[in-house]
Amino acid sequence: METQVETQPETVYYDHGTPDERWERARQFFDAKDYAGAARVLTGLVEEVPEQTGPRLLLARAYYHSAQLSRAEAELRVIVERDPVEHYARLMLGRTLQRQARHEEAERHLRIASALAGDFPQE
């Protein structure tokens, strides 16, 4: 006897559409400050297009704003590992580490982000 698992309509909504449509939907959730909704859309999108920085960075931001700091850190580390000069990912990683009270580790990333942005101390 086979049992069928029904797909929940809620899940279908988050996963429905082309990657471009889901990207737009995720941005709308994010702009509306529904960070959990944005993350639900972006998780599938990042799995589908793992090489793209934009969706992964927005996913990290959604995690950051919804206080899912270890998840934000994990996504940001993937970006920084792939592209060590990605300024905004470095900045976000530093801030994420600060929010976790890992100040020494955060400082390194914040200094690199400042250097990449051209923010040098004026003498």
Side-chain angles (χ1 to χ4, degrees), residues 21-36:
E21 290 168 339
R22 286 180 284 143
W23 169 249
E24 199 52 45
R25 186 177 309 123
R27 290 177 53 98
Q28 289 173 352
F29 278 120
F30 190 88
D31 291 344
K33 296 184 178 5
D34 181 353
Y35 303 117

Side-chain angles (χ1 to χ4, degrees), residues 17-75:
T18 66
D20 286 340
E21 290 168 339
R22 286 180 284 143
W23 169 249
E24 199 52 45
R25 186 177 309 123
R27 290 177 53 98
Q28 289 173 352
F29 278 120
F30 190 88
D31 291 344
K33 296 184 178 5
D34 181 353
Y35 303 117
R40 288 180 76 175
V41 175
L42 289 162
T43 300
L45 189 58
V46 165
E47 288 173 6
E48 190 174 326
V49 289
E51 72 285 352
Q52 291 188 10
T53 299
R56 189 176 299 275
L57 187 55
L58 191 59
L59 177 59
R61 291 177 63 202
Y63 285 150
Y64 177 86
H65 288 297
S66 60
Q68 297 180 62
L69 301 178
S70 61
R71 288 181 174 179
E73 179 185 349
E75 297 300 333

